[in-house]
Amino acid sequence: MSLFGDNLQYYRKQNNMTQEQLAERLEVSRQTVSKWEAGTSYAEMEKLLQLCDLFSCELDTLLRKNASEAEIEDNLQHRKHMREFRKWVTCGIALLIFAAAFYELMEGWGKFHESVQDTFFMIIAIIGILILVVQGLKDSDYRKKHPIIQVFYTEEEKEGFDSHFPAKIATGVGLILIGMLVVLNAERLPLPQNMNVEFYNGIFLLFVTIAVSILVYTGMHKQAYDVEEYNRENDPKVNTKNTPVAVWCGCIMLFATIIFLIAGLVFHLWEICWIVYPIGGMICGMVTLILNRQK
């Protein structure tokens, strides 16, 4: 049996297809598929491309590599990339919100000059933005090198994650609402020594930081299981309208940060401009639910 024949048989069995079913999909006879797998004949280029589309594999893998070994390697690499990507994107978005939280905590302490507070805010925010830029470039490079990934997540894995997905989303939204309760009752709550009421604005934004981190990470984790959508997003022949959760949430929180800076630095509205972050966080939650609902 040829390497192509071995790989064809492997992919066919992985997709629970008989030779008859595969032949029907390709509009050839069962005997033709049998000859391909036996290595006594070779498929035309048109059929090879159809097989690549059908099995979500690359032509080079189908013809020249050991498909089973390549799939294991691709699976491990893809899992690692998606895990690192969502971890660092979540970190970058969290830092953007934490920058505002840290500013408000310093404001609540009242012992720092405004220029010092602004400097710390900008340093933390810039680090967050740079993380998002670097991860965006890394993900783009990975997708160019690996445009097609064989579906490998099991139904048990997907169902296990889906069983916890609603609770995680509810936790993120709930933390934002709890934070809002804290800030709305800030004047009635006891203040730590040498602190003013701005301290509770910082506490509220810490709640938002944690909440948005949960929403973004959970949404990206959910998205990682949809390998078919990943393949469609990287297929130049398909005009996909779905945008990854990370891109939406990253843009939302960057926009919120821009509004926060303009309102604070230009119009000196520090006491109220923090509201853009809980609004952004709740929008992230809604976007996560909507995008994953559409799939």
Side-chain angles (χ1 to χ4, degrees), residues 185-196:
N185 292 278
E187 295 182 357
R188 303 181 185 88
L189 296 172
L191 284 169
Q193 189 175 5
N194 300 322
M195 290 286 185
N196 59 45

Side-chain angles (χ1 to χ4, degrees), residues 7 11 14 24 34 40 48 70-71 86-87 104 124 127-128 155 163 175 215 234 242 273 282 294:
N7 291 337
Y11 283 132
Q14 283 291 98
E24 185 179 347
S34 179
T40 58
L48 290 174
E71 183 178 350
R86 65 175 174 266
K87 178 180 72 176
E104 290 295 333
I124 298 173
I127 293 173
E155 289 302 317
S163 65
L175 285 172
L215 293 172
N234 297 301
N242 291 323
C273 62
M282 286 187 284
Q294 289 176 346

